[in-house]
Amino acid sequence: MKQAWIVATDTRIAELTALAGDLPTTLVAVGWPGDHQSGLFRVLSVGGAEQAPLESLAPVVVGAVDPGPQDLVIVEDTPVGRVLAGALAASLWAPILHGVTSVEGDTVEVSRFGGIATETVRLEGNAVLVVEGATPGPEGDASVETISGKGYDARIVGVEPSDTHVVDLAGARRIVGAGRGFADKADLALAEKLAGALGGALACSRPLAEGQNWLPRDRYLGISGQKVSPELYLAVGISGELQHMAGVRGAELIVAINSDPNAPIFSECDFGIVGDLYDVLPRLTERVKTA
């Protein structure tokens, strides 16, 4: 019987379980209990030494994942997950597929070139599917088994905290993106106020992060930045070039504000406002606050 194996280091597995569909699923929870995950066949909880990095548990994970020839192996798209995916692919002599968007039987749809194209891949045996998770899996009861074993002899010898506040854009349901339409860094406060009124997060296009250095690099959306799938993406002063839109096409609703009626983003959005962001944003923020 065909089954699915999911390897993850936290609860954000809803997107991973969605790919598994109705298949009996085993969650390999690396570094966390993995309990209270409903809809799963069973949970294997893999733990290690307190000072050991999770990547060092790769041999234990490889030993815990024992797929049949047609089983799906789905791994979270995180730095740790990619290390574990590599170890699993090597042990299974299987390919790694990134950007998987859907699975139908033995056929997998894969996003290519930042989302501007898709490729249909037919699976012949095992493959390791690397998928970005943003939403916690539904709670429920599952059979939990603790797995122990010896990983690589590695340990964390020091931690240097960062002063940068990291925003979880992948998990944000509403995002306001700021672009080069803003004349000054201080003016980003207008976008930040709107994001706050919406209960969302502030992001940006690449030039504001890597050119102007107005926001941290983990805030920019695009083909080489973060890729998000919020309920609402509101692009402010962003022209909507291909490189940026590749990071936000997963949004359920895209709204654009731009003073240029010929901006490419107006052919990509669901609703567009042609206007000066310095006039539109304060009025829109007030309307959201009073709604």
Side-chain angles (χ1 to χ4, degrees), residues 5 42 61-68 71 92:
W5 298 75
R42 59 174 177 160
V61 173
V62 167
V65 177
D66 184 24
D71 287 359
L92 296 170

Side-chain angles (χ1 to χ4, degrees), residues 1-4 22-24 70-72 103-107 123:
M1 182 179 182
K2 187 173 182 178
Q3 300 186 48
D22 296 329
L23 295 177
Q70 300 300 318
D71 287 359
L72 295 179
V103 177
E104 186 68 34
D106 295 330
T107 301
L123 302 180

Side-chain angles (χ1 to χ4, degrees), residues 49-61:
E50 184 175 344
Q51 296 300 318
L54 294 180
E55 293 91 336
S56 69
L57 295 172
V60 185
V61 173

